[in-house]
Amino acid sequence: MLLMGGEEETSAEQSRPSETDSQPSWKSEGHSLPLRLVNGRDRCQGRVEVLYRGYWGTVCDNSWDTQDADVVCRQLGCGHSLSAPGPESDLELRLVNGVDRCQGRVEILYQGSWGTVCDDSWDLNDANVVCRQLGCGYAVSAPGSARFGQGAGSILLDDVACTGSESFLWSCPSRGWLSHNCGHQEDAGVICSGGPKTLEASFMGGLPSRYLAQYSELYSGIDPHWTPCGTDSGLALRLVNGADSCLGRVEILYEGSWGTVCDDSWDLNDANVVCRQLGCGHAVSAVGSARFGQGSGSILLDDVACTGSESYLWHCPSRGWLSHNCGHQEDAGVICSGGLLGLTLGGRGVLTWLCTRNLNLA
């Protein structure tokens, strides 16, 4: 964790170093400049100070973000940054109850206590701010309805309406601190691209805990990053709301926003193009009727009619961009052979895995 004091001038904080001051240093203009973090609980958190011309001075927080903080942490041998707060130095952000630090319920440390965020109006713009602030890449999903469990503290923010460009979640428009009309059953969550691919909480709820470690070992062998593949002239493709990146709702990044594909005429030829483009093997199924949930962006393509040999989904014949007669209840999905194929619970609670690898449940 890195806590910034946010002073705009160094003169107020200047002080002569003692003879015992000894800190890791960086090179700047041919000189060795020691760096330190002060007023934190240990040497790996606190206000950033640099020894310059014999005096310790501070760093202004203008444009200060987790990329800057990562440089400081690495320079001091303190791992990676968990937070890069500016003037609101008593605020911190975290994701909890996920399987890694880059997914989970959104919580903010406010006035010394952790609290949650309500899911009213919660969307990918808000989630992107969270992911970027935590150094976790971009948002894959912005789940609500306490997907990662209900919190226990105060509900701190409601009706959050980020543009996606803010440096801190609390800089986004909202009702204000502690003003809400929510219960913890509406706690907001985030799944970021920066952590390892993992089961979404909806699947984990049905998986016996004694199998999680074995599944995690199997899962770690698959490509460890969520990445939109098959980029082409500003376009990108992904599958979302599945248990891994090789199954889910089909989404395309078009003119800076993610949108869906209508399931009219959607078949295995279309699905094979998606799977091959994403490096996910061949298509096992081409599902429709929003099997993986309804999207929220534009419906970008309709009546897609691939031959199966195209390199990119958007090279297939279709009605053209944004021309359709569909609703999101018709969003198309794909199940590819390259990853986990599904998890179902039978009527008697019998756990059934459909994987491309052997998973011993004995």
Side-chain angles (χ1 to χ4, degrees):
M1 179 173 61
L2 184 68
L3 301 180
M4 285 292 296
E7 294 86 354
E8 296 194 0
E9 297 180 353
T10 61
S11 58
E13 289 289 327
Q14 288 175 340
S15 62
R16 284 283 189 182
S18 69
E19 292 182 359
T20 60
D21 282 334
S22 177
Q23 302 289 341
S25 61
W26 58 13
K27 298 278 186 177
S28 177
E29 299 180 352
H31 300 286
S32 178
L33 300 178
L35 178 73
R36 69 182 184 184
L37 299 176
V38 300
N39 285 0
R41 292 190 291 268
D42 56 50
R43 73 176 193 87
C44 288
Q45 60 179 278
R47 183 176 63 247
V48 178
E49 292 192 352
V50 180
L51 183 64
Y52 180 70
R53 293 182 179 176
Y55 291 91
W56 288 104
T58 62
V59 178
C60 179
D61 66 7
N62 289 344
S63 302
W64 186 257
D65 60 22
T66 53
Q67 290 182 331
D68 308 315
D70 275 334
V71 173
V72 173
C73 292
R74 186 169 60 247
Q75 187 176 328
L76 293 174
C78 289
H80 62 80
S81 66
L82 297 181
S83 181
E88 295 164 305
S89 58
D90 61 331
L91 299 174
E92 296 177 35
L93 181 68
R94 69 182 183 185
L95 297 176
V96 301
N97 276 12
V99 296
D100 61 54
R101 74 177 192 90
C102 288
Q103 63 174 272
R105 182 176 64 248
V106 179
E107 293 195 350
I108 299 172
L109 182 65
Y110 176 74
Q111 294 183 352
S113 298
W114 289 100
T116 64
V117 176
C118 182
D119 65 6
D120 291 344
S121 304
W122 187 252
D123 61 19
L124 281 176
N125 285 334
D126 310 316
N128 269 320
V129 173
V130 171
C131 294
R132 187 172 59 250
Q133 184 175 342
L134 292 174
C136 286
Y138 63 88
V140 173
S141 181
S145 303
R147 171 80 67 86
F148 292 97
Q150 297 186 24
S154 299
I155 298 174
L156 298 174
L157 296 176
D158 187 15
D159 292 326
V160 177
C162 303
T163 65
S165 63
E166 294 85 354
S167 298
F168 303 102
L169 180 62
W170 42 83
S171 299
C172 300
S174 71
R175 284 177 171 244
W177 293 110
L178 299 169
S179 176
H180 65 87
N181 59 356
C182 306
H184 279 300
Q185 71 276 10
E186 299 171 81
D187 284 343
V190 169
I191 299 174
C192 303
S193 66
K197 295 189 305 182
T198 49
L199 278 175
E200 288 195 2
S202 59
F203 284 95
M204 294 180 76
L207 181 62
S209 59
R210 63 184 179 277
Y211 300 141
L212 282 177
Q214 186 177 357
Y215 175 75
S216 297
E217 180 180 355
L218 174 141
Y219 206 82
S220 64
I222 306 171
D223 174 39
H225 300 289
W226 291 85
T227 0
C229 299
T231 55
D232 173 40
S233 302
L235 300 171
L237 180 70
R238 69 182 183 183
L239 298 176
V240 300
N241 276 9
D244 63 45
S245 61
C246 288
L247 73 160
R249 183 175 64 247
V250 179
E251 292 195 350
I252 299 172
L253 183 65
Y254 176 74
E255 294 186 346
S257 299
W258 290 100
T260 64
V261 175
C262 182
D263 65 6
D264 291 345
S265 304
W266 188 252
D267 61 19
L268 280 177
N269 285 335
D270 310 316
N272 269 320
V273 172
V274 171
C275 294
R276 187 173 59 251
Q277 184 175 339
L278 293 174
C280 288
H282 62 83
V284 173
S285 181
V287 299
S289 303
R291 171 81 65 85
F292 291 99
Q294 296 187 24
S296 58
S298 299
I299 298 173
L300 298 174
L301 296 176
D302 187 15
D303 292 327
V304 177
C306 302
T307 65
S309 62
E310 293 86 354
S311 298
Y312 299 98
L313 181 63
W314 40 85
H315 288 178
C316 299
S318 70
R319 284 176 170 246
W321 294 111
L322 299 170
S323 177
H324 65 87
N325 59 357
C326 307
H328 279 299
Q329 71 275 11
E330 299 171 80
D331 284 344
V334 169
I335 298 173
C336 302
S337 65
L340 176 72
L341 300 185
L343 172 64
T344 61
L345 285 174
R348 297 183 180 179
V350 178
L351 187 67
T352 304
W353 283 96
L354 301 175
C355 300
T356 57
R357 299 194 195 180
N358 216 5
L359 183 63
N360 178 18
L361 294 181

